[in-house]
Amino acid sequence: MSAPAAGAAEEKQFDHVDLASLSRADRYKMLTGAVIPRPIAFVTSMGPGGIVNAAPFSQFVILAVDPGLLGFSVGPRTGSDVAKDTLANVQRAGEFVINMVPEGWEQIVQQASEEYPPDVSEVDLLGFATLPSRRIQTPRLAGSKIQFECKLDQVLSFGDAPNHLVVGRIVDMHVAAGLAQNHKIDPRAYAPVARIGGRNYVRLGDIVEV
């Protein structure tokens, strides 16, 4: 049996939003304020001359587990259709690391999201300590509790801007000692940070077991 249709009174409880009529900036605000919380892929990539770039992306998802594929969406630079440094680096080097964001990194991650010239290393500028990866050349961020070494699988283009979905095949995973037991990660000990609307972040709150 289908659910009864909503009446006029119920419909008045909602504001209609015509996304097509909004500017790109306003669509971004509406969508990123509605689809929350979003995990953050803090991506390190290698630029020309070995410069290590670090940038956060909160359009981030598990795409497959056999094999392990992770994807994050890279938009253009603000006010242009020029690709961000991370996309150029990943396409050139064919690899990257996704570092998960722990509590306490909110401010520094926000700083890393600013648009710096390609020859500026956010890792050096913001004082991140790094660790060598095992299977790729791009280093990991030492303070992150979980890191994924990835080889580029493919890049897919979406939208008019456009946005690029970067798909990485996980070739190695690093988990802080004691964080996982029987292949289960303790979420309270992990305590990752997620993104919500605007320049706002959220920490892990109540866990509801169902």
Side-chain angles (χ1 to χ4, degrees):
M1 180 181 296
S2 61
E10 288 84 355
E11 191 61 33
K12 287 181 180 179
Q13 297 176 20
F14 294 89
D15 292 327
H16 171 68
V17 179
D18 181 6
L19 289 175
S21 70
L22 302 180
S23 67
R24 181 195 299 180
D26 287 340
R27 281 197 301 272
Y28 177 85
K29 292 174 185 177
M30 287 296 297
L31 291 173
T32 57
V35 183
I36 61 171
R38 300 185 307 280
I40 303 168
F42 200 13
V43 178
T44 45
S45 60
M46 293 284 282
I51 293 174
V52 182
N53 176 276
F57 300 92
S58 62
Q59 274 77 298
F60 169 42
V61 67
I62 301 168
L63 295 171
V65 297
D66 187 16
L69 297 175
L70 299 175
F72 64 94
S73 178
V74 183
R77 284 181 173 270
T78 303
S80 76
D81 291 335
V82 177
K84 292 183 177 179
D85 296 337
T86 297
L87 179 61
N89 292 345
V90 166
Q91 290 180 310
R92 182 188 306 108
E95 62 173 56
F96 55 92
V97 177
I98 292 178
N99 307 271
M100 303 304 292
V101 177
E103 288 185 1
W105 276 22
E106 296 88 350
Q107 181 65 44
I108 203 167
V109 166
Q110 182 63 43
Q111 288 178 262
S113 71
E114 302 297 329
E115 295 181 350
Y116 299 98
D119 60 350
V120 172
S121 167
E122 292 85 354
V123 170
D124 293 339
L125 181 68
L126 301 175
F128 285 106
T130 62
L131 294 169
S133 292
R134 294 180 65 250
R135 304 284 298 278
I136 63 176
Q137 295 298 312
T138 306
R140 302 173 280 140
L141 298 181
S144 171
K145 294 180 182 178
I146 295 179
Q147 308 121 13
F148 302 94
E149 296 181 28
C150 298
K151 289 278 192 179
L152 179 62
D153 186 83
Q154 59 183 304
V155 176
L156 303 173
S157 180
F158 294 93
D160 298 328
N163 279 63
H164 294 86
L165 177 65
V166 177
V167 181
R169 180 187 292 255
I170 302 167
V171 294
D172 213 339
M173 179 179 178
H174 305 266
V175 181
L179 192 59
Q181 300 292 333
N182 297 320
H183 305 108
K184 293 182 179 180
I185 294 171
D186 180 350
R188 291 180 176 85
Y190 182 18
V193 169
R195 187 78 184 271
I196 53 176
R199 297 167 64 94
N200 299 305
Y201 298 78
V202 64
R203 296 180 177 182
L204 193 67
D206 294 338
I207 297 176
V208 180
E209 183 176 354
V210 179

Coordinates of all heavy atoms in Angstrom, one line a residue, residues 112-199:
A112 N 45.1 24.6 5.1 CA 45.6 23.9 3.9 C 44.6 24.0 2.8 O 45.0 23.7 1.6 CB 45.8 22.4 4.3
S113 N 43.3 24.3 3.0 CA 42.3 24.4 2.0 C 42.5 25.7 1.2 O 41.9 25.8 0.1 CB 40.9 24.3 2.5 OG 40.6 25.5 3.3
E114 N 43.2 26.7 1.7 CA 43.5 27.9 0.9 C 44.2 27.6 -0.3 O 44.9 26.6 -0.4 CB 44.2 28.9 1.8 CG 43.6 29.3 3.1 CD 42.2 29.9 3.0 OE1 42.1 30.7 1.9 OE2 41.4 29.8 3.8
E115 N 44.1 28.4 -1.3 CA 44.7 28.2 -2.6 C 46.1 28.8 -2.7 O 46.2 30.1 -2.9 CB 43.7 28.7 -3.8 CG 42.5 27.9 -3.8 CD 41.5 28.3 -4.9 OE1 41.8 29.4 -5.5 OE2 40.5 27.6 -5.1
Y116 N 47.1 28.0 -2.6 CA 48.5 28.5 -2.7 C 49.0 28.2 -4.1 O 48.5 27.3 -4.8 CB 49.3 27.7 -1.7 CG 48.9 27.9 -0.2 CD1 48.1 27.0 0.4 CD2 49.3 29.0 0.5 CE1 47.6 27.2 1.7 CE2 48.9 29.2 1.8 CZ 48.0 28.3 2.4 OH 47.6 28.5 3.7
P117 N 50.1 28.9 -4.5 CA 50.7 28.6 -5.8 C 51.2 27.2 -5.8 O 51.6 26.6 -4.8 CB 51.8 29.7 -5.8 CG 51.5 30.7 -4.9 CD 50.7 30.1 -3.8
P118 N 51.4 26.6 -7.0 CA 51.8 25.2 -7.1 C 53.2 25.0 -6.5 O 53.5 23.8 -6.1 CB 51.9 25.0 -8.7 CG 50.9 26.0 -9.2 CD 51.0 27.2 -8.3
D119 N 54.1 26.0 -6.5 CA 55.4 25.8 -5.9 C 55.5 25.9 -4.4 O 56.6 25.9 -3.8 CB 56.4 26.8 -6.6 CG 56.1 28.2 -6.4 OD1 55.0 28.5 -5.8 OD2 56.9 29.1 -6.7
V120 N 54.3 26.1 -3.7 CA 54.3 26.2 -2.3 C 53.8 24.8 -1.7 O 52.8 24.3 -2.1 CB 53.3 27.3 -1.8 CG1 53.2 27.2 -0.3 CG2 53.9 28.6 -2.2
S121 N 54.6 24.3 -0.8 CA 54.2 23.0 -0.2 C 53.5 23.3 1.1 O 54.0 23.9 2.1 CB 55.5 22.2 0.2 OG 55.2 21.1 1.1
E122 N 52.2 22.9 1.2 CA 51.4 23.1 2.4 C 52.0 22.3 3.6 O 51.9 22.7 4.7 CB 50.0 22.7 2.2 CG 49.2 23.5 1.2 CD 49.3 23.2 -0.2 OE1 50.2 22.3 -0.5 OE2 48.7 23.8 -1.1
V123 N 52.7 21.2 3.2 CA 53.3 20.4 4.3 C 54.4 21.1 5.0 O 54.5 21.2 6.2 CB 53.8 19.0 3.6 CG1 54.7 18.3 4.6 CG2 52.7 18.2 3.2
D124 N 55.2 21.8 4.2 CA 56.3 22.6 4.8 C 55.8 23.9 5.4 O 56.2 24.2 6.5 CB 57.3 23.0 3.7 CG 58.1 21.8 3.1 OD1 58.1 20.7 3.8 OD2 58.6 21.9 2.0
L125 N 54.9 24.5 4.7 CA 54.3 25.8 5.2 C 53.6 25.7 6.6 O 53.8 26.5 7.4 CB 53.3 26.4 4.2 CG 52.7 27.7 4.5 CD1 53.7 28.8 4.4 CD2 51.5 28.0 3.5
L126 N 52.9 24.6 6.7 CA 52.1 24.4 8.0 C 52.8 23.5 9.0 O 52.2 23.2 10.0 CB 50.7 23.8 7.6 CG 49.9 24.7 6.7 CD1 48.6 24.1 6.2 CD2 49.6 26.1 7.3
G127 N 54.0 23.0 8.7 CA 54.8 22.3 9.6 C 54.3 20.8 9.9 O 54.5 20.3 11.0
F128 N 53.8 20.2 8.9 CA 53.4 18.8 9.0 C 54.7 17.9 9.1 O 55.6 18.0 8.2 CB 52.5 18.3 7.9 CG 51.1 18.8 8.0 CD1 50.7 19.8 7.1 CD2 50.2 18.3 8.9 CE1 49.4 20.2 7.2 CE2 48.9 18.7 9.0 CZ 48.5 19.7 8.1
A129 N 54.7 16.9 10.0 CA 55.7 15.9 10.0 C 55.2 14.8 9.0 O 54.0 14.5 8.9 CB 55.9 15.3 11.3
T130 N 56.1 14.2 8.3 CA 55.7 13.1 7.3 C 56.4 11.8 7.6 O 57.4 11.8 8.3 CB 56.1 13.6 5.9 OG1 57.5 13.8 5.7 CG2 55.3 14.8 5.5
L131 N 55.9 10.8 7.0 CA 56.5 9.4 7.1 C 56.6 8.9 5.6 O 55.7 9.2 4.8 CB 55.6 8.5 7.9 CG 55.4 8.7 9.4 CD1 54.3 7.9 10.0 CD2 56.7 8.4 10.1
P132 N 57.6 8.1 5.3 CA 57.7 7.5 4.0 C 56.6 6.5 3.8 O 56.2 5.8 4.7 CB 59.1 6.9 3.9 CG 59.4 6.6 5.4 CD 58.7 7.7 6.2
S133 N 56.0 6.4 2.6 CA 55.1 5.4 2.2 C 55.9 4.1 1.9 O 57.1 4.2 1.6 CB 54.2 5.8 1.0 OG 53.4 6.9 1.4
R134 N 55.2 3.0 1.8 CA 55.8 1.7 1.6 C 55.8 1.3 0.1 O 56.7 0.7 -0.5 CB 55.2 0.6 2.4 CG 55.4 0.7 3.9 CD 54.8 -0.4 4.7 NE 55.4 -1.7 4.4 CZ 54.8 -2.7 3.7 NH1 53.6 -2.5 3.2 NH2 55.4 -3.8 3.5
R135 N 54.7 1.7 -0.6 CA 54.5 1.2 -2.0 C 54.5 2.3 -3.0 O 54.5 2.1 -4.2 CB 53.1 0.5 -2.1 CG 52.9 -0.6 -1.1 CD 53.6 -1.9 -1.6 NE 53.1 -2.3 -2.8 CZ 52.1 -3.1 -3.0 NH1 51.4 -3.5 -1.9 NH2 51.7 -3.5 -4.2
I136 N 54.5 3.6 -2.6 CA 54.5 4.7 -3.5 C 55.5 5.7 -3.0 O 56.0 5.6 -1.8 CB 53.1 5.4 -3.7 CG1 52.6 5.9 -2.4 CG2 52.2 4.4 -4.3 CD1 51.3 6.7 -2.5
Q137 N 55.8 6.8 -3.8 CA 56.8 7.8 -3.4 C 56.2 8.9 -2.5 O 56.9 9.5 -1.7 CB 57.4 8.4 -4.7 CG 58.2 7.5 -5.5 CD 59.4 6.9 -4.8 OE1 60.1 7.7 -4.2 NE2 59.5 5.6 -4.8
T138 N 54.9 9.2 -2.7 CA 54.3 10.3 -1.9 C 54.3 10.0 -0.4 O 53.8 8.9 0.0 CB 52.8 10.5 -2.4 OG1 52.8 10.6 -3.8 CG2 52.2 11.7 -1.7
P139 N 54.7 10.9 0.4 CA 54.8 10.6 1.9 C 53.4 10.7 2.5 O 52.5 11.3 2.0 CB 55.7 11.7 2.4 CG 55.6 12.8 1.4 CD 55.3 12.2 0.1
R140 N 53.3 10.2 3.7 CA 52.1 10.2 4.6 C 52.3 11.3 5.6 O 53.4 11.7 5.9 CB 51.9 8.9 5.3 CG 51.8 7.7 4.3 CD 51.8 6.4 5.1 NE 53.1 5.9 5.5 CZ 53.3 5.4 6.7 NH1 52.4 5.2 7.6 NH2 54.6 5.0 7.0
L141 N 51.2 11.7 6.2 CA 51.2 12.7 7.3 C 51.2 11.9 8.6 O 50.4 11.1 8.9 CB 50.0 13.6 7.3 CG 49.9 14.5 6.0 CD1 48.6 15.4 6.1 CD2 51.1 15.3 5.8
A142 N 52.3 12.2 9.4 CA 52.6 11.4 10.6 C 51.5 11.4 11.7 O 51.2 10.5 12.3 CB 53.9 11.8 11.2
G143 N 50.8 12.6 11.8 CA 49.8 12.7 12.9 C 48.5 12.1 12.6 O 47.6 12.0 13.4
S144 N 48.3 11.7 11.3 CA 47.0 11.0 10.9 C 47.0 9.6 11.5 O 48.0 8.9 11.5 CB 46.9 11.0 9.4 OG 45.8 10.2 9.0
K145 N 45.8 9.2 12.0 CA 45.7 7.8 12.6 C 45.5 6.7 11.5 O 45.8 5.6 11.8 CB 44.6 7.8 13.6 CG 44.8 8.7 14.8 CD 43.7 8.6 15.8 CE 43.9 9.5 17.0 NZ 42.8 9.5 17.9
I146 N 45.0 7.1 10.4 CA 44.8 6.1 9.3 C 45.2 6.8 8.0 O 44.8 7.9 7.7 CB 43.4 5.6 9.2 CG1 43.0 4.8 10.5 CG2 43.2 4.8 8.0 CD1 41.6 4.3 10.5
Q147 N 46.0 6.1 7.2 CA 46.5 6.6 5.9 C 46.3 5.5 4.8 O 46.6 4.3 5.1 CB 47.9 7.0 6.0 CG 48.3 8.0 7.1 CD 49.3 7.4 8.0 OE1 50.0 6.4 7.7 NE2 49.5 8.0 9.2
F148 N 45.9 5.9 3.6 CA 45.8 5.0 2.5 C 46.7 5.4 1.4 O 46.6 6.5 0.9 CB 44.3 5.0 2.0 CG 43.3 4.7 2.9 CD1 42.6 5.7 3.6 CD2 42.9 3.4 3.1 CE1 41.6 5.4 4.5 CE2 41.9 3.1 4.0 CZ 41.2 4.1 4.7
E149 N 47.6 4.5 1.1 CA 48.5 4.7 -0.1 C 47.7 4.3 -1.3 O 47.1 3.2 -1.3 CB 49.8 3.9 0.0 CG 50.7 4.3 1.1 CD 52.0 3.4 1.1 OE1 52.4 3.0 0.0 OE2 52.5 3.2 2.2
C150 N 47.6 5.1 -2.3 CA 46.7 4.9 -3.5 C 47.5 5.0 -4.8 O 48.3 6.0 -4.9 CB 45.5 5.8 -3.5 SG 44.4 5.6 -2.1
K151 N 47.2 4.2 -5.7 CA 47.6 4.3 -7.1 C 46.4 4.9 -7.9 O 45.2 4.4 -7.6 CB 48.1 3.0 -7.7 CG 49.4 2.5 -7.2 CD 50.5 3.2 -7.9 CE 51.9 2.5 -7.6 NZ 53.0 3.2 -8.4
L152 N 46.6 5.8 -8.8 CA 45.5 6.3 -9.5 C 44.8 5.2 -10.4 O 45.5 4.6 -11.2 CB 45.9 7.5 -10.4 CG 44.9 8.1 -11.3 CD1 43.8 8.8 -10.4 CD2 45.5 9.2 -12.2
D153 N 43.5 5.1 -10.3 CA 42.8 4.1 -11.1 C 42.1 4.8 -12.3 O 42.3 4.3 -13.4 CB 41.7 3.4 -10.2 CG 40.9 2.3 -10.9 OD1 41.4 1.2 -10.9 OD2 39.9 2.6 -11.5
Q154 N 41.4 5.9 -12.0 CA 40.9 6.7 -13.1 C 40.4 8.0 -12.6 O 40.2 8.2 -11.4 CB 39.7 5.9 -13.8 CG 38.5 5.6 -12.9 CD 37.5 4.8 -13.6 OE1 36.9 5.2 -14.6 NE2 37.2 3.6 -13.1
V155 N 40.2 8.9 -13.6 CA 39.6 10.2 -13.3 C 38.4 10.4 -14.1 O 38.4 10.3 -15.3 CB 40.6 11.4 -13.5 CG1 39.9 12.7 -13.3 CG2 41.8 11.2 -12.6
L156 N 37.2 10.7 -13.5 CA 36.0 10.9 -14.2 C 35.5 12.4 -14.1 O 35.7 12.9 -13.0 CB 34.9 10.0 -13.7 CG 35.2 8.5 -13.7 CD1 34.1 7.7 -13.0 CD2 35.4 8.0 -15.1
S157 N 35.0 12.9 -15.1 CA 34.6 14.3 -15.1 C 33.1 14.4 -15.0 O 32.4 13.7 -15.7 CB 35.1 15.0 -16.4 OG 34.7 16.4 -16.4
F158 N 32.6 15.3 -14.2 CA 31.2 15.5 -14.0 C 30.8 17.0 -14.0 O 31.6 17.8 -13.4 CB 30.7 14.9 -12.7 CG 30.8 13.4 -12.6 CD1 31.9 12.8 -12.1 CD2 29.8 12.6 -13.1 CE1 32.0 11.4 -12.0 CE2 29.9 11.2 -13.0 CZ 31.0 10.6 -12.5
G159 N 29.7 17.4 -14.5 CA 29.2 18.7 -14.3 C 29.8 19.7 -15.3 O 30.6 19.3 -16.2
D160 N 29.3 20.9 -15.2 CA 29.7 22.0 -16.2 C 31.0 22.7 -15.7 O 31.6 23.4 -16.5 CB 28.6 23.0 -16.4 CG 27.4 22.3 -17.0 OD1 27.5 21.3 -17.8 OD2 26.2 22.7 -16.7
A161 N 31.3 22.6 -14.4 CA 32.4 23.4 -13.9 C 33.8 23.2 -14.5 O 34.5 24.1 -14.9 CB 32.4 23.4 -12.4
P162 N 34.3 21.9 -14.6 CA 33.7 20.7 -14.1 C 34.4 20.2 -12.8 O 35.3 20.8 -12.3 CB 34.1 19.7 -15.2 CG 35.5 20.2 -15.6 CD 35.5 21.7 -15.5
N163 N 33.8 19.2 -12.2 CA 34.4 18.5 -11.1 C 34.9 17.2 -11.6 O 34.4 16.6 -12.5 CB 33.3 18.2 -10.0 CG 33.1 19.5 -9.1 OD1 32.6 20.5 -9.6 ND2 33.4 19.3 -7.8
H164 N 36.0 16.8 -10.9 CA 36.7 15.5 -11.3 C 36.6 14.5 -10.1 O 37.1 14.9 -9.0 CB 38.1 15.8 -11.7 CG 38.2 16.6 -13.0 ND1 38.2 17.9 -13.0 CD2 38.3 16.2 -14.3 CE1 38.3 18.4 -14.2 NE2 38.4 17.3 -15.0
L165 N 36.1 13.3 -10.4 CA 36.2 12.3 -9.4 C 37.5 11.5 -9.6 O 37.7 10.9 -10.6 CB 35.0 11.3 -9.5 CG 34.9 10.2 -8.6 CD1 34.8 10.6 -7.1 CD2 33.8 9.2 -8.9
V166 N 38.3 11.6 -8.6 CA 39.6 10.9 -8.6 C 39.4 9.6 -7.9 O 39.0 9.5 -6.7 CB 40.7 11.7 -7.9 CG1 42.0 10.9 -7.9 CG2 40.9 13.1 -8.6
V167 N 39.6 8.5 -8.6 CA 39.5 7.1 -8.0 C 40.9 6.5 -7.8 O 41.7 6.4 -8.7 CB 38.7 6.2 -9.0 CG1 38.5 4.9 -8.4 CG2 37.3 6.9 -9.3
G168 N 41.1 6.1 -6.6 CA 42.4 5.5 -6.2 C 42.2 4.1 -5.8 O 41.3 3.8 -5.0
R169 N 43.1 3.2 -6.2 CA 43.2 1.9 -5.8 C 44.1 1.8 -4.6 O 45.3 2.2 -4.6 CB 43.7 0.9 -6.9 CG 43.8 -0.5 -6.5 CD 44.5 -1.3 -7.5 NE 43.7 -1.4 -8.7 CZ 43.0 -2.5 -9.1 NH1 43.0 -3.6 -8.4 NH2 42.2 -2.5 -10.2
I170 N 43.6 1.3 -3.4 CA 44.4 1.2 -2.2 C 45.5 0.2 -2.4 O 45.2 -1.0 -2.6 CB 43.6 0.9 -1.0 CG1 42.5 2.0 -0.8 CG2 44.4 0.9 0.3 CD1 41.4 1.6 0.2
V171 N 46.8 0.5 -2.3 CA 47.9 -0.4 -2.4 C 48.5 -0.7 -1.0 O 49.2 -1.7 -0.9 CB 48.9 0.0 -3.4 CG1 48.3 0.1 -4.8 CG2 49.5 1.4 -3.0
D172 N 48.2 0.1 0.0 CA 48.6 -0.1 1.3 C 47.8 0.7 2.3 O 47.4 1.9 1.9 CB 50.1 0.2 1.5 CG 50.8 -0.7 2.5 OD1 50.1 -1.3 3.4 OD2 52.0 -0.8 2.5
M173 N 47.6 0.2 3.5 CA 46.8 1.0 4.5 C 47.6 0.9 5.8 O 48.1 -0.1 6.2 CB 45.4 0.3 4.7 CG 44.5 0.9 5.7 SD 42.9 0.1 5.8 CE 42.1 1.0 7.1
H174 N 47.6 2.1 6.5 CA 48.3 2.2 7.7 C 47.3 2.6 8.8 O 46.6 3.6 8.6 CB 49.4 3.2 7.6 CG 50.4 3.0 6.5 ND1 51.6 2.3 6.6 CD2 50.3 3.3 5.2 CE1 52.2 2.2 5.5 NE2 51.5 2.8 4.6
V175 N 47.3 1.9 9.9 CA 46.4 2.1 11.0 C 47.2 2.2 12.3 O 48.1 1.4 12.6 CB 45.4 1.0 11.2 CG1 44.4 1.3 12.3 CG2 44.6 0.8 9.9
A176 N 47.0 3.3 13.1 CA 47.7 3.5 14.3 C 47.6 2.2 15.2 O 46.6 1.6 15.3 CB 47.1 4.7 15.1
A177 N 48.7 1.9 15.8 CA 48.8 0.7 16.7 C 47.7 0.7 17.7 O 47.5 1.7 18.4 CB 50.2 0.6 17.3
G178 N 47.0 -0.4 17.8 CA 46.0 -0.6 18.8 C 44.6 -0.1 18.4 O 43.6 -0.3 19.1
L179 N 44.5 0.6 17.3 CA 43.3 1.2 16.9 C 42.3 0.2 16.3 O 41.1 0.3 16.5 CB 43.5 2.3 15.8 CG 42.4 3.2 15.5 CD1 41.9 4.0 16.7 CD2 42.8 4.2 14.4
A180 N 42.8 -0.9 15.8 CA 41.9 -2.0 15.2 C 42.1 -3.3 15.9 O 43.2 -3.7 16.2 CB 42.2 -2.1 13.7
Q181 N 41.0 -4.0 16.2 CA 41.0 -5.3 16.8 C 40.1 -6.2 16.0 O 38.9 -5.8 15.8 CB 40.6 -5.3 18.3 CG 41.4 -4.4 19.2 CD 42.8 -4.9 19.4 OE1 43.0 -6.1 19.3 NE2 43.8 -4.0 19.7
N182 N 40.6 -7.3 15.6 CA 39.8 -8.3 14.7 C 39.2 -7.5 13.5 O 38.1 -7.8 13.1 CB 38.7 -8.9 15.5 CG 39.2 -9.8 16.7 OD1 40.2 -10.5 16.5 ND2 38.6 -9.7 17.8
H183 N 40.0 -6.7 12.9 CA 39.7 -5.9 11.7 C 38.6 -4.9 11.9 O 37.9 -4.4 11.0 CB 39.3 -6.9 10.5 CG 40.4 -7.8 10.3 ND1 40.3 -9.2 10.6 CD2 41.7 -7.7 9.7 CE1 41.4 -9.8 10.2 NE2 42.3 -8.9 9.7
K184 N 38.3 -4.6 13.2 CA 37.3 -3.6 13.5 C 38.0 -2.4 14.1 O 38.8 -2.6 15.1 CB 36.2 -4.1 14.5 CG 35.3 -5.2 13.8 CD 34.3 -5.7 14.8 CE 33.4 -6.8 14.2 NZ 32.3 -7.2 15.1
I185 N 37.7 -1.2 13.6 CA 38.3 0.0 14.1 C 37.5 0.6 15.2 O 36.3 0.8 15.1 CB 38.5 1.0 13.0 CG1 39.6 0.4 12.0 CG2 39.0 2.4 13.5 CD1 39.7 1.2 10.7
D186 N 38.1 1.0 16.3 CA 37.4 1.6 17.5 C 37.1 3.0 17.1 O 38.0 3.9 17.1 CB 38.3 1.5 18.7 CG 37.6 2.1 19.9 OD1 36.6 2.8 19.8 OD2 38.2 1.9 21.0
P187 N 35.8 3.4 16.9 CA 35.5 4.8 16.4 C 35.9 5.8 17.5 O 36.2 6.9 17.1 CB 34.0 4.7 16.1 CG 33.5 3.6 16.9 CD 34.6 2.6 17.0
R188 N 35.7 5.5 18.7 CA 36.0 6.5 19.8 C 37.5 6.8 19.9 O 37.9 7.9 20.0 CB 35.5 6.0 21.1 CG 33.9 5.9 21.2 CD 33.4 5.5 22.5 NE 32.0 5.5 22.6 CZ 31.2 4.5 22.2 NH1 31.7 3.5 21.6 NH2 29.9 4.6 22.3
A189 N 38.3 5.8 19.8 CA 39.7 6.0 19.8 C 40.2 6.6 18.5 O 41.2 7.4 18.5 CB 40.5 4.6 20.0
Y190 N 39.5 6.3 17.4 CA 39.8 6.9 16.1 C 39.5 8.4 16.1 O 40.3 9.2 15.7 CB 39.0 6.1 15.0 CG 39.2 6.5 13.6 CD1 40.3 7.2 13.1 CD2 38.3 6.1 12.6 CE1 40.5 7.5 11.8 CE2 38.4 6.4 11.3 CZ 39.6 7.1 10.9 OH 39.7 7.4 9.6
A191 N 38.3 8.7 16.5 CA 37.9 10.1 16.6 C 38.2 11.0 15.4 O 38.9 12.0 15.5 CB 38.4 10.8 17.9
P192 N 37.7 10.6 14.2 CA 38.0 11.5 13.0 C 37.1 12.7 13.0 O 36.1 12.8 13.6 CB 37.6 10.5 11.9 CG 36.5 9.7 12.4 CD 36.9 9.5 13.9
V193 N 37.6 13.7 12.3 CA 36.8 15.0 12.1 C 36.1 14.9 10.8 O 36.6 14.4 9.8 CB 37.8 16.2 12.2 CG1 37.1 17.4 11.7 CG2 38.4 16.3 13.6
A194 N 34.9 15.5 10.7 CA 34.1 15.5 9.5 C 33.8 17.0 9.2 O 33.9 17.9 10.0 CB 32.8 14.7 9.6
R195 N 33.3 17.2 8.0 CA 33.0 18.6 7.5 C 31.5 18.7 7.4 O 30.7 17.8 7.1 CB 33.6 18.8 6.1 CG 33.5 20.2 5.6 CD 34.5 21.1 6.2 NE 34.3 22.5 5.7 CZ 34.8 23.0 4.6 NH1 35.6 22.2 3.8 NH2 34.6 24.2 4.3
I196 N 31.0 19.9 7.8 CA 29.6 20.3 7.6 C 29.6 21.6 6.8 O 30.6 21.9 6.1 CB 28.9 20.4 8.9 CG1 29.6 21.4 9.9 CG2 28.7 19.1 9.6 CD1 28.8 21.6 11.2
G197 N 28.6 22.4 6.8 CA 28.5 23.6 5.9 C 29.5 24.7 6.3 O 29.8 24.8 7.5
G198 N 29.9 25.5 5.4 CA 30.7 26.6 5.6 C 32.1 26.2 6.1 O 32.6 25.1 5.7
R199 N 32.7 27.0 6.9 CA 34.0 26.7 7.5 C 33.9 26.0 8.8 O 34.6 26.3 9.8 CB 34.8 28.0 7.7 CG 35.1 28.8 6.4 CD 35.6 30.2 6.6 NE 36.9 30.2 7.3 CZ 38.0 30.3 6.7 NH1 38.1 30.4 5.4 NH2 39.1 30.4 7.4

